[in-house]
Each structure stands twice: as C-alpha cells, then as structure tokens.
Amino acid sequence: MWKYAAGLALVLGASLSATSPASAADPVRIGVTLSETGPGASLGIPEGKSVRLLPKEFGGQPVEWIILDDGSDTTRAVANMRKLIAENRVDAVVGSSVTPASIAMVEVAAEQKVPMISLAGSSAIVSPVDQRRRWVFKTAQNDALMAQAVADHMAKAGVKTLGVVAFSDSYGDGWMGVMKPLLEERKIRVVAEERYARSDTSVTGQVLKVVSAKPDAVFIIAAGTPAALPARGLKERGFRGAVYQTHGVANADFLRVGGKDVEGEILPVGPVVVVDQLPDSHPSRETARKYRDAYEAENGKGSVSTFGAHAYDAGILLSHAIPVAADKAKPGTPEFRAALRDALEGLKGVVYVNGTATMSPTDHVGQGEPSRVMVTIQNGTWKLLPQ
C-alpha cells in the first residue's frame, strides 16, 4: 500500500502532508459502487483498480474505502448506495460507472444528504444544480463539453449528413439532446438515428438502416466494449465515411475488442489517454503522467484508461475537501457531510488527471477545454489530433 500512497502523494502534493491530530481517531468512510461486472465492466474495472491505489489518509485524516460492485445494474447501484449509507455510515459515495445508475443514485444523495461523486458522463447527473443535485458532483467530462469538440471536428471535416447509432438509454438520450442543437448550428443534418441496448449481441438491422441513408459520417453514441458492435457492422457493410465515437470508449478493452474494425475512428478523450503527446503547456501533463505511471506499474504497460482516471480524480477532489470539512465537524455526522458538500462546491483550480476543476453553486463539474482533446485510432492506439 505504501507505494500507492507515495505515488498519489506526488500527485496530491501538500494535501497529504498537513496533519489534523484532533480528528485522526475518526475515519472518513467513503463508499464506492462501481460496474466491475456487466456491460459497464470495461469502465468499472479500471475505476476499481484506481480507487485501490488511493491512500488511507488525507491531510492527517484517516480515510476508509468501502467498494461494492453494482454489476452495471441501476437497481443494484441504488441498493448499494443505501447499504453504504445505512450500514457502513459513509460520509460520501463515489460512483457509479454508468449514466443510468448514476442518475438513479441522485435521488438517494438528495434524500439522505450525502455527497456523491459520479464517474459517469451525462450532464443530466449534475445539471441543473437544483435541490436534488446540490449533493452531486462529477469527474467524468460532461457530454456537452465533449459534444462541442465532436461537432466542431465534423464541421471542419465537411460533414453535411450524419447517421447515428446510439444506446437506447439515458446515455444515448443525453448525447442526442446536446448534439442536435450543435449539429443544427453547423448545418449538419441527421439522416438516420437508430438505437440499441447495451446488452444486445447484434445491431445488424440498425446498421443497415443507417448505411442505406448514405450519410457522410456515422456517430456511435455508446460506452465501453458494446460500442465496438456497430463499428464492426459498419465495416462489414463497407461504410467508407468517417466514424465518430464518444469518450465512453477510451480504454484498452475497446481497442482490443474493436481491433481493425475501429481503426481511423475519431473521438474526444481525457488528456491522460495521450499524456505523452500533450504539449508541455497542458496543465494536467505532469499529474496525468504520475497517475499513468502508478497505474501501469501495477496493471501493465498500456493499461491506463480515462475511466480509471475519473475515479482517481474523485480521490483528488476528496483529498482537498476532506481536511476542510474535518476542521468544521466530526466525520460520521450530518454536519460533516454537509461541510464536505460545501468544501467540494468551493474547490477552485484543482489540477487533476483529466484537466482542472473549479466548482461553484451552479457548476458541479467545473471543467473546461483542458479536460478534453480529440484523437483518432491509429495502429491500434490513440493518436492526438491537432487541437
């Protein structure tokens, strides 16, 4: 465990060096529910490995991590959260990995007044920051932030017509909700829109309908390895236009499963995915490198993913907020949980693996352009595109 704590100390800097002896006897308990099995496993597995890299102390304050698997199931994620709050008496919850589960967990966070840091993509998890969402924060880039980069790239590439193959759940809904106005502004017309479930084993019918519409490009709105299914179908049907993906596929498992079928596809990702290709001026370059090195030392070269970084970034946010809250209240109390929520909302200019974060009462993600880059898949790996 020491090598993990030491590695994170390099990332967190002074936040681990301060001491708070008065509260040392009262551990902060952080509950974690992740999709380590099921369709979202390619997201949840690296997230779980990253949580297990986190130290057991922030600023002299003991921290206990309690990790549960929700199997990529919304009902189970909610049950996990209730169990963590009722039985383990956690002070905050990190998770879940996927959007539908995270959206359902928002209600529990508001009801129980427990801070939650989601690792999923949809902006609907945290926006607008109303009475329900004031307890919820997020480290994964909002789909709206990533959608802007995708739409800009399409316009510059001369795309006029677009086919869409999307998840038939809140992830697909959220992306289409933010993409359509951006496409309209750029005069890009959606000529076919098809949906499929995360657990589907065939999308032949959907792909046939999209290809028959003869779009200039196709946008696959999916996450994890299930996103390789329509990519394979497009190759089999001889589609020769550009293919775009979301940041929900940015890990080695997708590259492995997709193989040659995903070569040349274009997508937005967090900077950690191409950390060695980032310019020296990028604010996350060093932080991302230290995380990448610590993760790959344990899990093998090339194993790092943006999803694991989302979990690690949740730890970085908590490392800044927990000492502040511990100065105001005792862990394990409603007062501490409220103070922790306030401390998270007050974070400014936090540099973490996938960019920077400045929270506010109206923004519980706090990210901007440093949190995204555009890449293509070239020779089975990620290649940074001109920004």
Side-chain angles (χ1 to χ4, degrees):
M1 183 64 188
W2 164 249
K3 67 177 179 179
Y4 304 153
L8 189 62
L10 292 173
V11 176
L12 300 180
S15 65
L16 285 178
S17 63
T19 58
S20 180
S23 57
D26 305 312
V28 176
R29 293 182 174 88
I30 307 298
V32 185
T33 179
L34 301 172
S35 304
E36 294 189 289
T37 57
S42 64
L43 287 66
I45 289 172
E47 289 167 354
K49 290 177 178 178
S50 295
V51 171
R52 293 175 178 93
L53 291 178
L54 292 166
K56 295 183 178 179
E57 181 179 297
F58 288 147
Q61 178 65 52
V63 177
E64 180 182 345
W65 303 92
I66 304 162
I67 306 173
L68 300 178
D69 174 25
D70 58 41
S72 311
D73 180 75
T74 296
T75 301
R76 190 168 160 190
V78 170
N80 281 355
M81 188 171 184
R82 291 194 179 279
K83 173 183 171 66
L84 289 165
I85 295 170
E87 297 181 17
N88 300 105
R89 303 184 64 80
V90 299
D91 293 299
V93 173
V94 173
S96 178
S97 310
V98 297
T99 290
S102 290
I103 287 177
M105 289 165 59
V106 169
E107 301 295 336
V108 184
E111 171 195 310
Q112 297 295 320
K113 294 181 170 55
V114 174
M116 165 185 156
I117 303 177
S118 172
L119 310 180
S122 176
S123 58
I125 298 165
V126 291
S127 301
V129 184
D130 52 20
Q131 285 303 307
R132 293 164 56 249
R133 296 181 181 89
R134 69 185 300 269
W135 291 89
V136 184
F137 300 82
K138 193 160 76 67
T139 54
Q141 298 91 339
N142 271 347
D143 40 22
L145 179 69
M146 298 306 217
Q148 179 90 41
V150 173
D152 284 345
H153 190 280
M154 289 178 180
K156 290 178 182 176
V159 173
K160 300 297 182 184
T161 57
L162 183 69
V164 176
V165 184
F167 273 166
S168 55
D169 60 24
S170 51
Y171 188 79
D173 294 343
W175 263 93
M176 286 307 297
V178 298
M179 276 298 291
K180 283 183 176 179
L182 295 172
L183 296 173
E184 289 172 2
E185 289 172 7
R186 292 157 181 77
K187 301 188 186 311
I188 299 172
R189 185 165 56 93
V190 176
V191 294
E193 180 183 339
E194 296 294 320
R195 299 296 188 105
Y196 74 109
R198 292 173 187 252
S199 57
D200 284 351
T201 57
S202 173
V203 291
T204 300
Q206 294 94 322
V207 168
L208 283 171
K209 290 179 181 178
V210 168
V211 172
S212 67
K214 299 181 179 179
D216 297 330
V218 172
F219 189 19
I220 299 171
I221 300 176
T225 53
L229 194 60
R232 183 173 301 116
L234 289 168
K235 281 289 175 69
E236 289 173 350
R237 297 297 164 183
F239 181 72
R240 297 184 180 279
V243 178
Y244 291 82
Q245 293 271 2
T246 75
H247 58 309
V249 304
N251 66 10
D253 279 346
F254 173 77
L255 294 176
R256 174 182 55 80
V257 172
K260 292 182 179 179
D261 294 328
V262 300
E263 275 287 306
E265 294 190 344
I266 301 163
L267 61 148
V269 298
V272 69
V273 174
V274 287
V275 60
D276 289 331
Q277 301 174 50
L278 295 176
D280 291 341
S281 58
H282 194 283
S284 286
R285 182 180 168 106
E286 291 308 310
T287 302
R289 273 186 173 174
K290 289 168 184 174
Y291 163 69
R292 188 271 313 274
D293 292 347
Y295 186 93
E296 292 189 351
E298 182 65 19
N299 298 290
K301 186 173 178 59
S303 59
V304 75
S305 79
T306 190
F307 307 113
H310 297 329
Y312 206 75
D313 283 342
I316 292 178
L317 293 181
L318 288 166
S319 78
H320 287 268
I322 284 174
V324 175
D327 281 342
K328 297 180 179 179
K330 180 180 178 181
T333 65
E335 292 79 12
F336 178 80
R337 292 191 285 273
L340 183 57
R341 190 218 75 86
D342 292 347
L344 287 166
E345 189 175 84
L347 294 176
K348 307 294 181 189
V350 175
V351 176
Y352 54 19
V353 177
N354 273 325
T356 61
T358 293
M359 305 293 185
S360 76
T362 59
D363 185 353
H364 281 191
V365 184
Q367 298 171 341
E369 290 189 8
S371 294
R372 72 179 188 204
V373 294
M374 290 294 291
V375 302
T376 187
I377 299 171
Q378 187 177 96
N379 299 321
T381 191
W382 315 106
K383 173 68 175 177
L384 183 67
L385 292 172
Q387 304 301 302

